[in-house]
């Protein structure tokens, strides 16, 4: 287990502890300094995860796919996505811990409980991607790359050659189907996490005084 995974596990356990027994771990959120620190941790973690998700999902990944040879793009993503999901999972866990500390479940309003639910949803989706879908996607990608190298494709930009060859190659077609299913689940979890963060951004915006 790498240091990043150990750190993430510690943050998640800490977030769970703050969620269920905030007073035991951090005391009552009555001191101004503690409250300000929790707010700062929450805002910075949320902003980091929101910005990273926005860039990776809608900007960076699309630009790379349209400009890099497909195998190069896939290999780069296989290195980037574990780091990406580790980062936003840690940020989501910190956001959960900070928000649960500021708004303990027993005294939280209905709106605050919904917001905590959105944050937990984002954390769950990110962890499912980090621990389940991303490793499966990378493994499937490597298998497909091997098949494509044997067929002398994969160094082009875009999907055109893959789709053309798959029409006459059942093995590649089957691999494309498996990869598409796993990658689709990963993308769905990522979009659900982004949607949960979007809902929370609306809540935070309603609290600002500009």
């Amino acid at each position: 287990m790498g240091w990043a995974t150990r750190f993430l596990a510690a943050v998640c356990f800490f977030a769970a502890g703050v969620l269920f027994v905030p007073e035991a771990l951090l005391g009552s959120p009555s001191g101004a300094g503690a409250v300000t620190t929790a707010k700062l941790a929450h805002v910075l973690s949320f902003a980091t995860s929101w910005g990273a998700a926005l860039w990776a999902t809608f900007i960076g990944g699309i630009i790379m796919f349209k400009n890099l040879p497909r195998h190069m793009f896939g290999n780069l993503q296989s290195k980037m996505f574990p780091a990406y999901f580790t980062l936003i999972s840690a940020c989501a866990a910190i956001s959960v811990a900070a928000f649960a500390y500021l708004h303990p479940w027993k005294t939280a309003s209905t709106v605050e409980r919904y917001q905590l639910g959105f944050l937990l949803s984002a954390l769950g989706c990110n962890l499912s991607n980090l621990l389940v879908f991303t490793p499966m996607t990378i493994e499937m990608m490597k298998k497909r790359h091997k098949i494509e190298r044997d067929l002398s494709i994969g160094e082009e930009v875009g999907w055109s050659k893959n789709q053309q060859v798959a029409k006459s190659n059942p093995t590649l077609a089957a691999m494309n189907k498996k990869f598409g299913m796993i990658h689709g689940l990963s993308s769905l979890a990522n979009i659900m996490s982004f949607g949960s963060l979007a809902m929370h951004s609306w809540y935070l915006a309603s609290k600002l005084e500009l």
Side-chain angles (χ1 to χ4, degrees):
M1 182 183 291
W3 70 268
T5 306
R6 289 195 294 268
F7 173 75
L8 176 59
V11 171
C12 288
F13 278 116
F14 179 73
V18 174
L19 178 62
F20 292 108
V21 284
E23 297 85 359
L25 288 176
L26 300 175
S28 177
S30 56
V35 169
T36 300
T37 300
K39 288 181 178 180
L40 178 63
H42 178 65
V43 170
L44 289 180
S45 297
F46 169 80
T48 299
S49 57
W50 170 262
L54 177 65
W55 175 263
T57 305
F58 300 106
I59 303 174
I62 294 174
I63 291 174
M64 287 187 289
F65 177 74
K66 290 184 176 181
N67 291 276
L68 291 177
R70 193 155 46 77
H71 282 186
M72 182 184 296
F73 166 76
N75 290 331
L76 178 60
Q77 293 290 74
S78 71
K79 303 299 182 183
M80 288 182 59
F81 271 120
Y84 162 66
F85 285 120
T86 298
L87 171 66
I88 62 175
S89 294
C91 287
I94 293 171
S95 290
V96 167
F99 195 84
Y101 174 69
L102 294 168
H103 306 285
W105 186 264
K106 292 180 181 179
T107 58
S109 66
T110 301
V111 172
E112 290 164 349
R113 290 182 178 184
Y114 271 114
Q115 292 305 315
L116 185 57
F118 287 131
L119 293 173
L120 285 169
S121 173
L123 176 59
C125 290
N126 293 334
L127 287 175
S128 68
N129 248 324
L130 176 65
L131 302 175
V132 181
F133 298 132
T134 294
M136 293 175 65
T137 301
I138 293 174
E139 181 183 1
M140 200 68 63
M141 179 202 72
K142 291 180 178 179
K143 291 180 179 179
R144 187 169 69 168
H145 280 189
K146 184 178 184 303
I147 295 174
E148 290 178 326
R149 282 193 297 269
D150 293 339
L151 296 170
S152 300
I153 61 174
E155 298 306 317
E156 72 284 348
V157 176
W159 287 103
S160 57
K161 285 189 177 181
N162 174 285
Q163 294 174 338
Q164 182 179 357
V165 174
K167 293 178 181 179
S168 58
N169 190 302
T171 302
L172 180 59
M175 186 59 66
N176 283 347
K177 185 176 181 179
K178 292 179 181 179
F179 177 83
M181 181 181 67
I182 299 301
H183 186 266
L185 291 173
S186 177
S187 297
L188 177 62
N190 190 47
I191 291 296
M192 289 178 64
S193 171
F194 187 82
S196 296
L197 293 176
M199 295 298 295
H200 190 61
S201 71
W202 187 267
Y203 167 82
L204 290 180
S206 70
K207 298 298 180 180
L208 292 178
E209 294 183 7
L210 299 177

